[in-house]
Amino acid sequence: MTKQTPIRRAAGVALAIAALAGGFGAATSAEAGPTVDQIKQRGVINVGVGTQAGFFAPDANGKWQGFFIDFGRALAVTVFNDPDKVQFTNTSPQQRLPALQAGQFDVLLSGVTETILRAFKLNFNFGPVVFYDGQGILVKKSLGVTKGSDLDGATIGVQSGTTGELNIADFFKKSGKTYKPVVIEDTNAFSQALLSGRADALTQDSSDLALRRAAFPNPDDYVLLPERLSKEPLAPAIRWGDDQWLQIVNWTVYATIQAEEWGITSENVDSFLKSDDPAIKRFLGVDPSLGEAIGLDPKFAYNIVKKVGNYGEIFERNLGKSTKIGFDRGLNRLWTQGGLLYSPPFR
């Protein structure tokens, strides 16, 4: 074996790194991934969603609107520079994950909770968390309960195929209390179980319960208990096997978050094109080097903000204080404002 000098070893390492870099560059081309190829041949992104006003619901004209819907449109902007090249399909909680596995959807934006079993056993990758939630309990006010453990022996409605089934079982096991589950598959029948008296309470993501309560004929007759039974980080889900598509999902979401952090909105984004900040120039594609390096349109982030908005705009438009829903952002604030939203650097 020929003995290498330090200089020759360093040269060899440099060549290896260069080769790897070339491989990564090829892999990140927007033309390289099988999912993106299929999407471009099809001419539309297939997105699985649920049905809940504020998050995802068709309007009077049949056009889908909502918080998660806007992230689907942002993806269409990244791939096609057209927010309408996306098709939304509603399926039940029991059908969504199998449909994603079967390739019926390119991405799930249906309020899916990221869990380790879904990652490893079901072979799903998750994008960034877009909504931090937690499981709650909605009860009849006439029961006079103030916390979940007061519901000893109560009948509680749970939706099958959700993490809620397991969480409520864990909660009562830890508290040493008992309950009678009413497992409901039809999302429309879920609310009716409480309204009809079939169940004393419902348990699901607190945001979902708050929306259901607001739609009840007499919402003041019901109360959402203050405790949270779980962490429910809701994130886009895709199948294993296409890292390039995962990265497109990731950085589409991050673009909305980073734009809000810099104060870039759909209304003022054009004024930022004159910024002297090198990071903002790269982000908006004024300096095209970043987009060229990753194989995307250098202006993909600009296009997302211009046509869909930043994260704050998406939240406020669909869920915020100015809407009938009136959610406080809570943990869904930027990290600079005490929340959990944080984007890696665009460089």
Side-chain angles (χ1 to χ4, degrees), residues 157-170:
V158 297
Q159 279 201 286
S160 61
T162 67
T163 54
E165 284 186 273
L166 303 176
N167 293 335
I168 193 68
D170 287 349

Side-chain angles (χ1 to χ4, degrees), residues 52-57 65-69 131 207-208 211 319 327:
Q52 186 61 272
F55 285 111
F56 19 54
Q65 307 286 352
F67 176 80
F68 287 105
I69 298 300
F131 193 88
S207 60
D208 179 87
L211 292 171
L319 304 172
F327 279 165

Side-chain angles (χ1 to χ4, degrees), residues 94 156-161 165 180-185 190 198:
Q94 303 78 24
I156 300 180
V158 297
Q159 279 201 286
S160 61
E165 284 186 273
K180 300 172 185 176
V182 177
V183 181
I184 301 165
E185 180 171 346
F190 189 57
R198 183 184 173 197

